[in-house]
mmCIF file of all heavy atoms in Angstrom:
data_model
loop_
_atom_site.group_PDB
_atom_site.id
_atom_site.type_symbol
_atom_site.label_atom_id
_atom_site.label_comp_id
_atom_site.label_asym_id
_atom_site.label_seq_id
_atom_site.Cartn_x
_atom_site.Cartn_y
_atom_site.Cartn_z
ATOM 1 N N SER M 858 35.491 -33.219 -17.170
ATOM 2 C CA SER M 858 36.272 -33.438 -15.948
ATOM 3 C C SER M 858 35.306 -33.618 -14.779
ATOM 4 O O SER M 858 34.293 -32.928 -14.673
ATOM 5 C CB SER M 858 37.223 -32.268 -15.681
ATOM 6 O OG SER M 858 36.508 -31.087 -15.415
ATOM 7 N N VAL M 859 35.636 -34.574 -13.937
ATOM 8 C CA VAL M 859 34.775 -34.914 -12.792
ATOM 9 C C VAL M 859 35.626 -34.869 -11.534
ATOM 10 O O VAL M 859 36.751 -35.387 -11.509
ATOM 11 C CB VAL M 859 34.157 -36.321 -12.946
ATOM 12 C CG1 VAL M 859 33.223 -36.624 -11.775
ATOM 13 C CG2 VAL M 859 33.416 -36.443 -14.266
ATOM 14 N N LYS M 860 35.086 -34.263 -10.514
ATOM 15 C CA LYS M 860 35.798 -34.144 -9.247
ATOM 16 C C LYS M 860 34.849 -34.515 -8.113
ATOM 17 O O LYS M 860 33.675 -34.121 -8.124
ATOM 18 C CB LYS M 860 36.303 -32.711 -9.063
ATOM 19 C CG LYS M 860 37.266 -32.503 -7.909
ATOM 20 C CD LYS M 860 37.827 -31.085 -7.942
ATOM 21 C CE LYS M 860 38.876 -30.861 -6.871
ATOM 22 N NZ LYS M 860 39.420 -29.480 -6.929
ATOM 23 N N VAL M 861 35.349 -35.281 -7.162
ATOM 24 C CA VAL M 861 34.527 -35.619 -5.997
ATOM 25 C C VAL M 861 35.431 -35.700 -4.767
ATOM 26 O O VAL M 861 36.396 -36.459 -4.735
ATOM 27 C CB VAL M 861 33.727 -36.920 -6.214
ATOM 28 C CG1 VAL M 861 34.611 -38.071 -6.654
ATOM 29 C CG2 VAL M 861 32.966 -37.310 -4.958
ATOM 30 N N LYS M 862 35.128 -34.869 -3.791
ATOM 31 C CA LYS M 862 35.929 -34.797 -2.571
ATOM 32 C C LYS M 862 35.469 -35.819 -1.545
ATOM 33 O O LYS M 862 36.254 -36.518 -0.933
ATOM 34 C CB LYS M 862 35.842 -33.387 -1.979
ATOM 35 C CG LYS M 862 36.536 -33.205 -0.635
ATOM 36 C CD LYS M 862 38.032 -33.294 -0.729
ATOM 37 C CE LYS M 862 38.718 -32.987 0.606
ATOM 38 N NZ LYS M 862 40.162 -33.274 0.567
ATOM 39 N N ARG M 863 34.179 -35.890 -1.340
ATOM 40 C CA ARG M 863 33.626 -36.821 -0.344
ATOM 41 C C ARG M 863 32.144 -36.992 -0.618
ATOM 42 O O ARG M 863 31.529 -36.204 -1.339
ATOM 43 C CB ARG M 863 33.823 -36.279 1.073
ATOM 44 C CG ARG M 863 33.146 -34.958 1.331
ATOM 45 C CD ARG M 863 33.279 -34.508 2.765
ATOM 46 N NE ARG M 863 34.647 -34.389 3.204
ATOM 47 C CZ ARG M 863 35.423 -33.315 3.003
ATOM 48 N NH1 ARG M 863 34.935 -32.274 2.312
ATOM 49 N NH2 ARG M 863 36.648 -33.262 3.452
ATOM 50 N N LEU M 864 31.570 -38.019 -0.026
ATOM 51 C CA LEU M 864 30.141 -38.290 -0.166
ATOM 52 C C LEU M 864 29.502 -38.379 1.205
ATOM 53 O O LEU M 864 30.111 -38.880 2.158
ATOM 54 C CB LEU M 864 29.914 -39.609 -0.920
ATOM 55 C CG LEU M 864 30.471 -39.700 -2.343
ATOM 56 C CD1 LEU M 864 30.238 -41.094 -2.901
ATOM 57 C CD2 LEU M 864 29.844 -38.654 -3.239
ATOM 58 N N GLY M 865 28.252 -37.944 1.288
ATOM 59 C CA GLY M 865 27.480 -38.083 2.524
ATOM 60 C C GLY M 865 26.806 -39.439 2.567
ATOM 61 O O GLY M 865 25.587 -39.554 2.533
ATOM 62 N N GLY M 866 27.635 -40.494 2.641
ATOM 63 C CA GLY M 866 27.134 -41.867 2.561
ATOM 64 C C GLY M 866 26.856 -42.229 1.118
ATOM 65 O O GLY M 866 26.816 -41.375 0.235
ATOM 66 N N SER M 867 26.678 -43.518 0.859
ATOM 67 C CA SER M 867 26.328 -43.967 -0.496
ATOM 68 C C SER M 867 25.788 -45.386 -0.498
ATOM 69 O O SER M 867 24.716 -45.658 -0.994
ATOM 70 C CB SER M 867 27.525 -43.876 -1.442
ATOM 71 O OG SER M 867 27.463 -42.695 -2.190
ATOM 72 N N PHE M 868 26.602 -46.345 0.017
ATOM 73 C CA PHE M 868 26.152 -47.726 0.194
ATOM 74 C C PHE M 868 25.766 -48.393 -1.125
ATOM 75 O O PHE M 868 24.921 -49.273 -1.155
ATOM 76 C CB PHE M 868 24.986 -47.784 1.197
ATOM 77 C CG PHE M 868 25.201 -46.901 2.387
ATOM 78 C CD1 PHE M 868 24.505 -45.716 2.538
ATOM 79 C CD2 PHE M 868 26.152 -47.222 3.340
ATOM 80 C CE1 PHE M 868 24.743 -44.869 3.613
ATOM 81 C CE2 PHE M 868 26.399 -46.390 4.424
ATOM 82 C CZ PHE M 868 25.691 -45.214 4.564
ATOM 83 N N GLY M 869 26.386 -47.951 -2.202
ATOM 84 C CA GLY M 869 26.099 -48.518 -3.515
ATOM 85 C C GLY M 869 25.119 -47.704 -4.332
ATOM 86 O O GLY M 869 25.005 -47.892 -5.545
ATOM 87 N N GLY M 870 24.431 -46.800 -3.699
ATOM 88 C CA GLY M 870 23.380 -46.043 -4.372
ATOM 89 C C GLY M 870 23.880 -45.044 -5.390
ATOM 90 O O GLY M 870 23.094 -44.489 -6.159
ATOM 91 N N ARG M 871 25.203 -44.812 -5.395
ATOM 92 C CA ARG M 871 25.734 -43.824 -6.339
ATOM 93 C C ARG M 871 26.895 -44.407 -7.149
ATOM 94 O O ARG M 871 27.812 -43.706 -7.529
ATOM 95 C CB ARG M 871 26.125 -42.557 -5.582
ATOM 96 C CG ARG M 871 24.877 -41.904 -4.993
ATOM 97 C CD ARG M 871 25.126 -40.540 -4.449
ATOM 98 N NE ARG M 871 25.649 -40.568 -3.096
ATOM 99 C CZ ARG M 871 25.695 -39.489 -2.316
ATOM 100 N NH1 ARG M 871 25.254 -38.338 -2.756
ATOM 101 N NH2 ARG M 871 26.186 -39.548 -1.105
ATOM 102 N N ILE M 872 26.809 -45.713 -7.392
ATOM 103 C CA ILE M 872 27.775 -46.340 -8.292
ATOM 104 C C ILE M 872 27.373 -46.038 -9.735
ATOM 105 O O ILE M 872 28.142 -45.467 -10.504
ATOM 106 C CB ILE M 872 27.868 -47.850 -8.029
ATOM 107 C CG1 ILE M 872 28.520 -48.112 -6.659
ATOM 108 C CG2 ILE M 872 28.679 -48.547 -9.121
ATOM 109 C CD1 ILE M 872 28.585 -49.577 -6.261
ATOM 110 N N THR M 873 26.159 -46.391 -10.084
ATOM 111 C CA THR M 873 25.660 -46.100 -11.442
ATOM 112 C C THR M 873 24.547 -45.069 -11.434
ATOM 113 O O THR M 873 24.333 -44.371 -12.432
ATOM 114 C CB THR M 873 25.133 -47.376 -12.115
ATOM 115 O OG1 THR M 873 24.018 -47.887 -11.367
ATOM 116 C CG2 THR M 873 26.209 -48.440 -12.193
ATOM 117 N N ARG M 874 23.824 -44.945 -10.339
ATOM 118 C CA ARG M 874 22.657 -44.051 -10.321
ATOM 119 C C ARG M 874 23.063 -42.582 -10.328
ATOM 120 O O ARG M 874 22.264 -41.721 -10.742
ATOM 121 C CB ARG M 874 21.775 -44.334 -9.095
ATOM 122 C CG ARG M 874 21.210 -45.737 -9.004
ATOM 123 C CD ARG M 874 20.360 -46.118 -10.183
ATOM 124 N NE ARG M 874 21.079 -46.934 -11.147
ATOM 125 C CZ ARG M 874 20.592 -47.300 -12.332
ATOM 126 N NH1 ARG M 874 19.399 -46.913 -12.724
ATOM 127 N NH2 ARG M 874 21.308 -48.043 -13.149
ATOM 128 N N ALA M 875 24.281 -42.266 -9.885
ATOM 129 C CA ALA M 875 24.728 -40.874 -9.924
ATOM 130 C C ALA M 875 24.853 -40.367 -11.357
ATOM 131 O O ALA M 875 24.853 -39.154 -11.598
ATOM 132 C CB ALA M 875 26.069 -40.733 -9.201
#
Side-chain angles (χ1 to χ4, degrees):
S858 65
V859 182
K860 190 173 184 179
V861 52
K862 175 69 175 171
R863 61 176 58 84
L864 300 176
S867 262
F868 318 106
R871 295 190 276 194
I872 291 177
T873 63
R874 300 301 100 186

